[in-house]
Amino acid sequence: MSGILVGSIAIASLLALLAWRVPVALSLILVSFLGVWATFGLTPAWGILKSTPYDFVASWTLTSVPMFVLMGYISFHSGITSGLFRLAKALFSRMPGSLAISSTFACTGFAAVCGSSVACAAAMGKIAIPEMVKSGYDRNFACGSIAAGGTIGALIPPSILMIIYGVIAQVSIISLFLAGIGVGVATAIGYILVILALSWVKPEWVPRSLDRSDVPPLGKALMETGPVLFIMAGIFGGMFGGIFTATEAGAVGAALSLGYAVISRRINRRQILESLSDTVSTCGSLLLVGVGAAMLTKMLSMTGLGLYISQIIGAFNFDYWQLMLMIVAIYLVLGMFLDPFGAMLITLPVFLPILHHYHVDLIFFGVFLVKMLEIGMITPPVGINVYVIKSVVGDLTSLNGVFKGIGMFFVTDILVIGGLIFFPSLFFLPVSG
Amino acid sequence: MSITSILHELERAATWIAGLSVFLAMLIIALDIIFRLFKSDIPGSVEFITYYLIVAIVFMPLAKLERTGEMISMDLLMTVLPRPVGRAIEASAALIGAGVYALLTIASASFAMEKLAANFYVITSTYVLFTWPAYFMLPLAFTLGGVMSLLRGIERLRGPDIPSPEMSEAQMPGAGK
């Protein structure tokens, strides 16, 4: 049997196993092993199965993942970032739709400490949604705005998705982080514009004014948030100033967050253990998928299927924008059914040779991909952020209600994607070729 | 002591090792940066974290992930199929998973034995760090993950409740105390 035929059967089997609910990591490992075995025999297949798990994971760069994840969970369990919402309220209280704008701003700030969309949506949902509903916001809109705001988490550094993309695509993680800021900020601005527009068009959804008795004085809010802002400044300053590597920045951020949470008595022993437990669960499930993706990359390369697919797509002579729109369509569909990490790690081994063929800048693509995957977090039927918000608010609204509330934010996301494809320089990203 | 209890204790121990490794990695890196301010460093810290701690962080929680069903998977079919069919599919998926873990266990054990035979080590700035013991974490973690996956598959075939009562809390040891 030819390598390409074996590779094709392996990919079809992979899809069948995924649909059969075999964990993504184990499906990838199994089809990669069998694909290499069928093409080249047992010895090379066994060699890959033996060495890949350890060799992939034993990496200094990958160590940044548990560090940033730990920082996020410590922030989440201790609530040290809750002051960001009060600071945003103090800053924006005179604007129409100020609570929704404040929650978007707070999501962006929380993202800078956390790196996870889900944690961002859960933390902000608990704080902001009850207050928004109390102030007269439409329930669906309040839930939708936080679910969408959470997606900013993966674009603003540190971003776990970007770290894993950087390891697989072998590009600089700090460059990815820098490039992500533009898209994250553009998304936040887009969301704020939606809120402002709705406050004029539908004031029954988004009240124009806020009861200022609940707004803390700016100085007090700044004092409360000061330590968190100091941690953020330390991480970004150290990382982008070339003092720390991404891994070191993650460890410093986790240590500072833990130190502050302990000193300010915001975290107890149980919450520390929960943070550690959540961290290892997240890292174990994520990075085992990474092992599977590394094996799939080897299988696609050895069978020649990866090159074959890129040659076929190359033969169509797609324009750059046609290729990108095709990728958008694929990720919109995948995002409906797959976790962002699963969707990214299954597709990257196939897409990377195609992107090389079309000379697409891999830093640009990393940010573009993360934005696409984040849209998957708020689209039905498996929009994870929507489920998180629903679990936070209980009977306040239905799942469909949260999806309805996301509508205008989804439109904004699509506009940002369009902007990324056609006017990448607007986002201060390297222009693709 | 029943086999389930022993497995539960092993799973707790493995999760403890992973949690401790995260904490240690954070501490070592942060201390190393402080030492750097005084033109010093912790010798071999990068190598110890890379060859030991990150490996423990990723692989040791596999048993817990398998027991609690936290592995990343696709839920497409589950949303449209009747519950008994869905349960049968979940059971077969868990059994396939157990088979993959068995393969991984054998492969990683043979890799670890090769490293042991070669007395594998890395040279840090000031000392030699033997790394072969780290390779043995993988067969251990894959065995535990495989057994948990197998148990989950069997439980799924027998009825809807997966974990035994004493194993129902997805927490770090001591987390609920």
Side-chain angles (χ1 to χ4, degrees):
Chain A
M1 238 187 318
S2 79
I4 289 163
L5 180 61
V6 170
S8 308
I9 294 170
I11 294 292
S13 311
L14 173 66
L15 296 177
L17 286 170
L18 292 177
W20 205 252
R21 212 171 185 274
V22 177
V24 174
L26 302 179
S27 305
L28 286 165
I29 290 170
L30 183 62
V31 298
S32 307
F33 170 68
L34 294 177
V36 176
W37 185 4
T39 316
F40 296 99
L42 184 58
T43 307
W46 196 247
I48 287 173
L49 191 68
K50 272 199 315 193
S51 60
T52 310
Y54 187 93
D55 291 347
F56 176 80
V57 167
S59 143
W60 175 248
T61 311
L62 269 190
T63 310
S64 61
V65 174
M67 296 299 99
F68 283 121
V69 171
L70 178 63
M71 180 170 70
Y73 278 119
I74 289 170
S75 307
F76 176 73
H77 286 297
S78 64
I80 58 173
T81 42
S82 57
L84 286 169
F85 182 61
R86 283 188 286 279
L87 174 65
K89 254 175 38 174
L91 284 170
F92 301 115
S93 62
R94 291 179 193 282
M95 291 177 78
S98 60
L99 279 183
I101 291 174
S102 299
S103 62
T104 303
F105 177 87
C107 280
T108 311
F110 188 89
V113 184
C114 165
S116 154
S117 287
V118 170
C120 197
M124 284 305 136
K126 274 183 200 162
I127 302 163
I129 293 173
E131 208 166 319
M132 288 167 81
V133 172
K134 199 176 106 189
S135 302
Y137 281 76
D138 177 79
R139 291 168 182 212
N140 294 342
F141 176 82
C143 295
S145 67
I146 304 294
T151 65
I152 299 169
L155 290 161
I156 300 286
S159 160
I160 310 300
L161 270 169
M162 284 185 191
I163 295 171
I164 294 181
Y165 171 85
V167 170
I168 299 279
Q170 297 183 341
V171 293
S172 154
I173 287 160
I174 291 183
S175 301
L176 279 168
F177 280 178
L178 272 172
I181 294 173
V183 183
V185 169
T187 304
I189 292 172
Y191 288 173
I192 288 170
L193 290 176
V194 165
I195 295 163
L196 286 173
L198 283 175
S199 74
W200 289 106
V201 181
K202 283 194 174 286
E204 68 277 17
W205 281 16
V206 185
R208 285 183 202 164
S209 57
L210 174 70
D211 176 7
R212 291 186 52 81
S213 63
D214 282 344
V215 178
L218 184 58
K220 191 182 166 196
L222 266 174
M223 285 293 286
E224 187 190 356
T225 327
V228 175
L229 297 176
F230 171 77
I231 293 170
M232 283 159 57
I235 296 168
F236 289 130
M239 196 161 53
F240 297 137
I243 301 167
F244 305 146
T245 62
T247 305
E248 289 169 339
V252 168
L256 288 176
S257 305
L258 181 62
Y260 171 59
V262 169
I263 289 167
S264 60
R265 300 186 177 208
R266 285 165 175 260
I267 197 163
N268 56 31
R269 178 174 165 270
R270 184 188 161 189
Q271 288 167 320
I272 294 173
L273 291 174
E274 273 179 24
S275 302
L276 291 171
S277 176
D278 290 345
T279 301
V280 297
S281 293
T282 303
C283 295
S285 58
L286 277 185
L287 296 180
L288 196 65
V289 180
V291 169
M295 286 183 64
L296 184 72
T297 306
K298 287 179 185 171
M299 190 274 279
L300 289 176
S301 161
M302 288 173 78
T303 57
L305 183 66
L307 184 66
Y308 182 68
I309 293 174
S310 68
Q311 282 170 346
I312 287 182
I313 295 196
F316 279 107
N317 265 331
F318 286 127
D319 285 333
Y320 161 76
W321 64 269
Q322 287 173 319
L323 176 77
M324 297 310 279
L325 288 181
M326 197 170 69
I327 291 174
V328 167
I330 289 169
Y331 279 112
L332 280 181
V333 173
L334 279 180
M336 290 178 183
F337 305 107
L338 262 172
D339 167 275
F341 290 96
M344 176 172 83
L345 291 170
I346 288 168
T347 50
L348 269 187
V350 180
F351 283 160
L352 283 175
I354 299 171
L355 297 170
H356 280 299
H357 185 93
Y358 276 85
H359 307 292
V360 175
D361 184 287
L362 291 182
I363 298 286
F364 161 80
F365 186 77
V367 178
F368 173 80
L369 174 63
V370 169
K371 179 68 192 159
M372 284 307 308
L373 293 170
E374 287 302 294
I375 294 176
M377 304 277 282
I378 53 169
T379 48
V382 193
I384 298 167
N385 274 17
V386 174
Y387 284 87
V388 169
I389 292 295
K390 172 71 181 116
S391 72
V392 167
V393 300
D395 294 331
L396 189 71
T397 185
S398 63
L399 263 182
N400 278 345
V402 188
F403 278 121
K404 275 183 199 161
I406 282 166
M408 288 306 291
F409 298 102
F410 176 74
V411 173
T412 311
D413 281 337
I414 295 299
L415 290 174
V416 172
I417 286 292
L420 269 171
I421 294 174
F422 296 106
F423 312 103
S425 54
L426 281 180
F427 300 86
F428 308 104
L429 290 166
V431 182
S432 49
Chain B
M1 206 180 204
S2 69
I3 291 180
T4 343
S5 310
I6 294 170
L7 283 173
H8 184 37
E9 290 307 318
L10 286 172
E11 178 214 311
R12 282 164 61 99
T15 313
W16 252 112
I17 291 169
L20 192 65
S21 301
V22 176
F23 189 78
L24 265 181
M26 177 195 79
L27 206 63
I28 292 171
I29 298 169
L31 283 176
D32 199 41
I33 290 168
I34 294 171
F35 279 28
R36 212 188 291 165
L37 297 174
F38 302 100
K39 309 274 183 219
S40 180
D41 64 353
I42 301 175
S45 59
V46 171
E47 289 83 358
F48 180 62
I49 290 166
T50 306
Y51 290 100
Y52 276 92
L53 297 185
I54 182 71
V55 177
I57 292 166
V58 173
F59 293 109
M60 295 313 261
L62 286 181
K64 181 198 168 204
L65 291 170
E66 282 299 339
R67 178 176 61 78
T68 53
E70 289 178 79
M71 295 289 280
I72 297 172
S73 51
M74 195 161 93
D75 293 322
L76 175 59
L77 274 181
M78 294 301 116
T79 54
V80 293
L81 287 174
R83 207 171 155 70
V85 181
R87 210 166 57 225
I89 287 179
E90 278 191 45
S92 57
L95 296 177
I96 293 171
V100 179
Y101 278 118
L103 274 174
L104 284 166
T105 302
I106 300 166
S108 59
S110 95
F111 198 45
M113 291 306 289
E114 283 172 21
K115 299 294 174 188
L116 168 66
N119 203 16
F120 210 64
Y121 62 85
V122 290
I123 299 168
T124 72
S125 54
T126 51
Y127 61 91
V128 169
L129 176 70
F130 286 95
T131 55
W132 61 261
Y135 289 83
F136 282 92
M137 283 192 273
L138 275 73
L140 184 69
F142 288 141
T143 305
L144 277 176
V147 171
M148 286 297 176
S149 186
L150 185 67
L151 283 181
R152 199 156 59 90
I154 294 169
E155 289 285 348
R156 265 304 188 213
L157 283 175
R158 286 161 62 184
D161 301 320
I162 313 164
S164 57
E166 77 269 30
M167 294 172 73
S168 60
E169 283 189 25
Q171 290 179 327
M172 279 287 287
K177 293 174 189 167

